[in-house]
Amino acid sequence: MFPNFNIYSTPLLILVFQGLIFVGLLFVKYFKKKNIFDLFLGLILLIVCYQQTCYTIGFLGWYNEFQNTKINYFLIPMSLGIAPLIYFYVKSITTSNFKFEKKYWWHFIPILVLIIFRFFIFFYDSNQSGFHETQNGVLKISLDETIINPLLVFLSFAQMLLYLVFTFQLFYNYRKKIQEYFSNIYKLELNWILSFLIAFTALFLYSSLQDVIGSLIIDLKYEQRWWLNIFMALVVLFVGIKGYFTDTSKLNTISFSFSPNPESIPKTNEETTIISKIDIEKVSNFMSLKKPYLNPDLNLSDLAELLQMNRAKLSQTINSGFNKNFNDFVNEYRVNTFKEKLQLGEHKQLSLLGIAFDCGFNSKATFNRVFKKITHTSPSEFLNSHIK
């Protein structure tokens, strides 16, 4: 009997319903704040919930009760749409002032073609005699089930793999970029996005393994495929909660992409060597005397303005002259200042974290990580072993 609430259908139904709630919340948030990444995430969750409908209603007993239903025509494999949406979701967050351009629609051609194809075979089959007495018509069985669906397994696998690779590359390029521009990056590292990518990669690998086993080794029963769907439902809930409550809108106003200005960079090797030494000395003296690193919000543009230097030239000077990225360059000054303050005994009046904040750090996590990276020991260990 439909609906049949059991140990398989009930958890899926509850989780899918909760997922749809966050879909609605993300859409409302998008229409209020106009942040396109909320729209992308809402669409991702909507598609995943839609895909789970097939198994949820199956466990509820729909297929047994309504054997001639035409729902199979509309349970469209939407993984072709999820892959580019994941990519554009991450791109819209990690790209300053991101705008969805017309050329990006090409990424969604495969899923749009599939949707049109499904509607075409439905209208064709619906005009054939005996269609109302069966679940699937002639084109659904002879073309879609026999040819298209097996091809979609391989196409979906290849597409998802490529988009995940591109998205991870996009994410790590972003992390590398912020190290070249910001002195404190903890709040900009987007660890939540990394969790998001890992979760969907795990789903992709699980689904691919299940397809291989089901196609080549043993035919998996409906109950055996339930585990993937419950895992998918939990991922939707996790992503919905984190995506809705994590504020990444501040990244939209950050403009840290730049390319060197050819006119500001010397042409000859000899001239480059001379000017690099002058620039290196200028930057080093300014950092030592003016201590701009004490400002926790210091970034490459701020320092370039203080030094009255071209931003690209300053970046080149730090990278080549000091052999460091901007983040490591500034934080080394902060760590050295922290050690000097310990030598002066400031730890007797302030906590280690308080001293770290006075040196320009803005979070405990960043301070501990940077200090250990530079000194190969923790702040407390350094205090115990070097300060008497």
Side-chain angles (χ1 to χ4, degrees):
M1 295 293 293
F2 178 84
N4 178 17
F5 298 103
N6 52 58
I7 60 172
Y8 295 106
S9 64
T10 305
L12 278 180
L13 189 63
I14 293 173
L15 290 172
V16 170
F17 180 72
Q18 289 177 328
L20 289 173
I21 290 175
F22 279 102
V23 170
L25 290 173
L26 285 165
F27 284 166
V28 170
K29 190 177 178 182
Y30 164 70
F31 286 114
K32 284 184 176 180
K33 299 186 177 181
K34 302 300 180 183
N35 293 322
I36 196 169
F37 48 78
D38 289 325
L39 177 62
F40 286 141
L41 185 59
L43 289 172
I44 291 170
L45 298 187
L46 179 62
I47 290 175
V48 176
C49 290
Y50 171 77
Q51 284 188 306
Q52 291 178 278
T53 302
C54 173
Y55 285 90
T56 303
I57 64 174
F59 284 116
L60 284 169
W62 176 284
Y63 299 118
N64 294 330
E65 187 73 16
F66 308 102
Q67 295 185 8
N68 293 337
T69 181
K70 304 304 182 290
I71 196 170
N72 285 344
Y73 286 87
F74 306 104
L75 292 174
I76 301 171
M78 298 294 284
S79 57
L80 294 179
I82 291 178
L85 281 173
I86 290 174
Y87 174 78
F88 282 112
Y89 174 62
V90 176
K91 186 176 180 67
S92 64
I93 290 178
T94 58
T95 304
S96 56
N97 301 311
F98 173 83
K99 302 292 182 184
F100 189 82
E101 302 175 14
K102 291 182 179 179
K103 63 181 180 180
Y104 294 152
W105 281 109
W106 287 102
H107 292 263
F108 299 94
I109 291 297
I111 186 60
L112 293 175
V113 169
L114 179 59
I115 292 173
I116 293 171
F117 168 75
R118 279 294 187 89
F119 276 92
F120 168 77
I121 64 172
F122 172 76
F123 286 118
Y124 178 87
D125 287 349
S126 64
N127 289 317
Q128 307 305 307
S129 60
F131 179 70
H132 298 292
E133 300 173 1
T134 184
Q135 188 179 53
N136 299 314
V138 58
L139 285 185
K140 184 72 174 73
I141 295 174
S142 62
L143 181 58
D144 190 54
E145 298 288 343
T146 307
I147 300 174
I148 301 301
N149 279 348
L151 288 176
L152 282 176
V153 172
F154 296 101
L155 178 61
S156 298
F157 175 85
Q159 187 195 44
M160 183 63 79
L161 180 62
L162 284 173
Y163 272 95
L164 283 175
V165 170
F166 291 147
T167 307
F168 270 105
Q169 183 181 38
L170 179 71
F171 177 73
Y172 283 110
N173 284 342
Y174 162 80
R175 281 199 163 182
K176 183 178 180 181
K177 189 183 293 185
I178 61 175
Q179 289 181 338
E180 296 289 351
Y181 188 83
F182 296 100
S183 61
N184 277 309
I185 61 173
Y186 179 72
K187 295 180 180 179
L188 301 173
E189 286 182 318
L190 298 179
N191 291 317
W192 135 246
I193 296 298
L194 181 59
S195 301
F196 165 83
L197 290 175
I198 291 174
F200 273 94
T201 300
L203 279 178
F204 165 66
L205 294 176
Y206 192 149
S207 177
S208 300
L209 179 62
Q210 180 175 274
D211 288 339
V212 170
I213 294 174
S215 301
L216 303 177
I217 301 176
I218 186 174
D219 186 24
L220 296 175
K221 296 180 180 179
Y222 215 64
E223 290 80 6
Q224 292 171 311
R225 294 178 181 271
W226 178 82
W227 293 101
L228 172 61
N229 285 273
I230 197 68
F231 179 28
M232 193 180 300
L234 291 171
V235 167
V236 166
L237 189 59
F238 164 74
V239 169
I241 293 172
K242 292 292 292 184
Y244 180 77
F245 290 106
T246 303
D247 181 21
T248 56
S249 59
K250 60 180 178 293
L251 296 176
N252 285 353
T253 59
I254 294 175
S255 179
F256 53 86
S257 58
F258 66 94
S259 56
N261 181 358
E263 296 180 358
S264 68
I265 299 177
K267 303 298 183 183
T268 65
N269 292 335
E270 181 179 359
E271 190 178 0
T272 300
T273 303
I274 295 173
I275 291 185
S276 292
K277 288 181 178 179
I278 295 174
D279 290 336
I280 290 170
E281 186 176 351
K282 177 181 178 180
V283 172
S284 181
N285 289 338
F286 186 84
M287 294 294 289
S288 299
L289 296 174
K290 299 298 183 181
K291 304 184 186 303
Y293 53 85
L294 296 179
N295 174 14
D297 297 321
L298 181 70
N299 59 47
L300 185 66
S301 292
D302 294 337
L303 185 58
E305 185 177 346
L306 291 171
L307 285 163
Q308 297 183 337
M309 289 179 66
N310 176 276
R311 183 170 62 169
K313 187 176 181 180
L314 174 59
S315 179
Q316 184 188 46
T317 300
I318 293 173
N319 295 160
S320 302
F322 295 91
N323 198 28
K324 295 180 177 68
N325 60 47
F326 178 77
N327 182 263
D328 290 341
F329 172 72
V330 174
N331 282 328
E332 187 169 339
Y333 278 95
R334 290 171 175 164
V335 168
N336 289 337
T337 302
F338 176 84
K339 292 192 289 186
E340 290 173 3
K341 287 179 178 292
L342 291 185
Q343 294 287 355
L344 294 174
E346 291 194 14
H347 58 283
K348 296 177 182 178
Q349 288 80 35
L350 289 173
S351 66
L352 295 183
L353 186 59
I355 298 173
F357 284 170
D358 286 344
C359 296
F361 291 101
N362 67 353
S363 76
K364 181 179 180 180
T366 299
F367 168 58
N368 287 333
R369 184 177 59 189
V370 168
F371 192 90
K372 193 161 190 176
K373 178 181 178 181
I374 293 176
T375 65
H376 306 291
T377 184
S378 69
S380 56
E381 290 172 347
F382 180 86
L383 175 64
N384 295 330
S385 58
H386 291 79
I387 307 299
K388 296 182 180 179

